[in-house]
Amino acid sequence: MAKNKAWGGRFGDRTDRFVEEFTASIPFDILLYRQDIAGSIAHARMLGKQKIIPRKEADRIASALSAIREEIESGKISFDLSQEDIHMAVERRLIRKVGKIGGKLHTGRSRNDQVALDLRLYLRDEIDEILILFSKVKERVRLRAEELFGVVMPGYTHVQRAQPVLLSHYLLAYHEMFGRDEDRFRDARRRANVSPLGAGALAGTTFPLDREFVAGELGMEGVCENSIDAVSDRDFAADFLYACAVTLMHLSRFSEEMVYWSSAEFGFLSLPDSLCTGSSIMPQKRNPDVPELIRGKTGRCYGNLLNLLTIMKGLPLSYNRDMQEDKEPVFDSARTVKESLIGAALLIQGMVVNEERMRTACDDGFLTATDLADYLARKGVPFRKAHEITGRIVRYCEENRKRLKDLSLKELRSFHPRIGEDVRDAISLSHSVRLRKTRGGTGPEKVRNRLEELKKK
Ligand code: ARG
């Protein structure tokens, strides 16, 4: 008989060794021990309050559960595969500690609503940690943008030099992305923070549970309204994984820039020794492994999202054991996001910007060609025409190996008589940046305003 199992009553034969290993989740869901115990304490208190079990017994159960948490934290106990999952492991330990009254804890509860609760609580805790890391990253972006205010660099489209921008403006672009990432996590937290407990296996329970009380004890915003939905869905976990995937997409783009900006070819910045590693064969190498790994780890977060969506696709309601596979992608993405945010914060703080190199990169590539076209448009030339004239000027420059600013007024006027002395200013880098005064543009005034706003926030 599978006597060593909590569910062994109706079984004749022992569980096959492979099956025991194959079905056990304890090697990974041990990570949920704090949430599992918190949920059980709240459930026990409610059972006592509702007189479903004697109050005294509920109190004993609750304090034994706290003691178990300490035992796990201090490494005093470990669990083996025969305990299947964290829920059974804690319960078994409870019964060892308080005797058979420990067996009353599971009254009016199923592992199906229990595991859904644990995962929701876990996500809430992880999101809180992630949000703290995000605020650190954003703070560092803001401080560097403030410190580097005034540095001009080429902005790119298609990885071709396009128009000059303030480096601060560039950095603040990431601040905006991270702000939206935070929103996505807050959103995911709100949807996760609802209690499924009381759903039982799937149909609700025959005991007079106080579901709202349990939710309140756990600091949750409400209870799931449908018991079948409560144990069936993992959309809240997919929300979290999506937020993780988008975060890594942003961090990966930032990392990509750290990698190629620190190359000899770009030379826009260098990363400090403390954030680089060497090569085992090439003594001269200093490699940007941190941003490379953040970029590489993005694959996990995308994969984890697709993993869960695929697990859930086509599952009939309600709980199916497939759903045990929900945990590892969630754990992996949570860890990856946290590590990547820590790495990003170090990169943002540590990068050493080469202002000179950024500025000289603006000298080639006709970065102010749009400004020349705008200049003509301001003099009454229709923009489309102005664009064409400027295009011809750029071609002339290329043919004569000149930059825009090398052209004499005479040369310029040969393309259009309305070009005057004031064109010099119009095509200067500082002018180009300064004139971009639209809200959200790179004009120093606007960037300064945004910095102030973000500081106040
Ligand atoms: N370890 C299981 C999981 O992670 C817990 C729920 C098991 N429920 C069941 N009826 N076998 O999904």
Side-chain angles (χ1 to χ4, degrees):
M1 204 170 84
K3 268 232 173 63
N4 56 338
K5 304 289 182 214
W7 38 253
R10 59 102 67 226
F11 282 76
D13 293 332
R14 270 197 79 83
T15 316
D16 183 279
R17 184 129 198 109
F18 167 79
V19 172
E20 194 165 83
E21 265 177 42
F22 188 66
T23 57
S25 54
I26 187 81
F28 51 86
D29 68 15
I30 179 75
L31 227 66
L32 296 174
Y33 78 90
R34 261 185 296 129
Q35 290 80 14
D36 192 72
I37 289 173
S40 287
I41 290 175
H43 182 67
R45 291 218 178 98
M46 180 276 295
L47 291 176
K49 179 184 84 73
Q50 296 296 91
K51 304 200 169 63
I52 297 168
I53 69 173
R55 220 187 187 119
K56 266 205 175 130
E57 293 180 0
D59 291 344
R60 270 190 75 194
I61 290 173
S63 56
L65 285 166
S66 298
I68 293 171
R69 182 175 48 221
E70 276 154 37
E71 287 173 348
I72 297 175
E73 261 150 26
S74 61
K76 273 201 199 114
I77 46 170
S78 59
F79 301 120
D80 63 69
L81 292 182
S82 71
Q83 281 143 352
E84 199 172 318
D85 56 28
I86 182 65
H87 326 296
M88 310 256 261
V90 170
E91 186 183 332
R92 166 113 48 111
R93 182 72 194 153
L94 176 69
I95 292 169
R96 277 195 96 142
K97 284 177 92 75
V98 302
K100 56 182 186 306
I101 66 158
K104 296 189 180 182
L105 171 63
H106 214 50
T107 312
R109 189 175 69 168
S110 153
R111 276 186 295 161
N112 297 351
D113 53 354
Q114 187 178 0
V115 73
L117 175 77
D118 292 5
L119 193 61
R120 286 169 180 271
L121 292 175
Y122 169 85
L123 285 178
R124 201 180 69 175
D125 294 345
E126 289 299 306
I127 290 171
D128 290 341
E129 280 182 40
I130 289 169
L131 290 174
I132 290 172
L133 290 171
F134 258 120
S135 62
K136 286 188 186 151
V137 170
K138 280 169 51 197
E139 174 76 351
R140 293 201 181 167
V141 171
R142 190 181 62 75
L143 289 174
R144 293 300 318 255
E146 232 165 60
E147 174 206 325
L148 296 161
F149 190 78
V151 176
V152 179
M153 60 168 280
Y156 296 81
T157 64
H158 313 263
V159 202
Q160 308 287 322
R161 286 177 193 164
Q163 290 175 343
V165 293
L166 289 184
L167 172 60
S168 305
H169 191 51
Y170 208 94
L171 290 172
L172 290 187
Y174 282 104
H175 198 291
E176 301 290 334
M177 294 175 227
F178 298 151
R180 291 192 298 276
D181 291 339
E182 280 180 315
D183 278 350
R184 269 180 283 274
F185 279 110
R186 283 196 203 98
D187 235 44
R189 188 190 194 284
R190 185 173 52 75
R191 275 192 288 271
N193 200 22
V194 179
S195 174
L197 231 51
L202 79 160
T205 72
T206 57
F207 296 96
L209 305 185
D210 184 344
R211 298 189 61 202
E212 289 75 14
F213 173 84
V214 174
E217 285 284 283
L218 294 168
M220 299 183 103
E221 291 300 325
V223 300
C224 302
E225 293 296 348
N226 179 299
S227 62
I228 297 173
D229 174 48
V231 297
S232 293
D233 210 352
R234 294 292 183 267
D235 55 354
F236 62 90
D239 287 343
F240 173 77
L241 292 177
Y242 174 65
C244 292
V246 176
T247 295
L248 262 286
M249 172 185 75
H250 289 150
L251 291 177
S252 176
R253 297 185 75 171
F254 173 74
S255 298
E256 167 73 2
E257 267 155 0
M258 293 292 104
V259 171
Y260 78 75
W261 285 8
S262 65
S263 70
E265 282 68 19
F266 266 82
F268 281 4
L269 52 85
S270 58
L271 299 175
D273 279 356
S274 58
L275 300 181
C276 294
T277 65
S279 152
S280 61
I281 174 165
M282 295 169 283
Q284 84 283 11
K285 289 295 291 285
R286 231 165 51 95
N287 298 328
D289 304 52
V290 175
E292 290 175 289
L293 280 169
I294 293 175
R295 197 175 56 185
K297 283 174 190 288
T298 306
R300 291 171 181 257
C301 287
Y302 287 9
N304 290 334
L305 171 62
L306 201 64
N307 185 350
L308 181 67
L309 292 174
T310 310
I311 292 165
M312 299 308 295
K313 172 191 174 294
L315 283 190
L317 305 184
S318 61
Y319 178 84
N320 301 272
R321 191 61 177 267
D322 316 43
M323 287 154 71
Q324 179 167 290
E325 289 290 311
D326 61 0
K327 283 170 252 336
E328 286 167 293
V330 165
F331 297 163
D332 186 64
S333 280
R335 197 191 58 218
T336 304
V337 165
K338 288 192 291 183
E339 286 175 354
S340 302
L341 286 171
I342 292 169
L346 288 171
L347 290 168
I348 292 159
Q349 197 182 28
M351 66 180 185
V352 181
V353 171
N354 187 339
E355 286 186 35
E356 188 48 35
R357 187 77 183 227
M358 286 187 172
R359 178 168 275 279
T360 50
C362 294
D363 278 344
D364 293 323
F366 311 101
L367 265 74
T368 56
T370 316
D371 299 276
L372 180 52
D374 287 355
Y375 168 88
L376 283 166
R378 276 199 300 276
K379 301 257 167 185
V381 181
F383 183 78
R384 195 40 64 216
K385 185 77 190 156
H387 184 285
E388 184 211 311
I389 295 167
T390 309
R392 281 198 273 118
I393 296 176
V394 167
R395 198 169 72 213
Y396 172 82
C397 284
E398 275 178 340
E399 282 162 8
N400 294 279
R401 296 178 178 277
K402 288 186 173 189
R403 296 169 300 183
L404 282 180
K405 65 177 178 187
D406 300 329
L407 298 178
S408 68
L409 191 57
K410 200 169 148 226
E411 280 173 301
L412 283 164
R413 287 178 68 91
S414 70
F415 288 93
H416 201 282
R418 275 192 221 164
I419 295 181
E421 191 52 58
D422 53 351
V423 74
R424 294 261 161 254
D425 254 1
I427 59 170
S428 77
L429 277 186
S430 57
H431 227 75
S432 165
V433 172
R434 209 166 339 120
L435 284 186
R436 293 199 150 61
K437 288 188 200 158
T438 37
R439 181 173 176 177
T442 194
E445 238 175 88
K446 298 296 156 185
V447 175
R448 171 65 64 211
N449 288 349
R450 188 65 184 146
L451 274 169
E452 295 299 326
E453 274 169 26
L454 293 172
K455 190 170 179 178
K456 276 186 218 130
K457 273 192 193 167

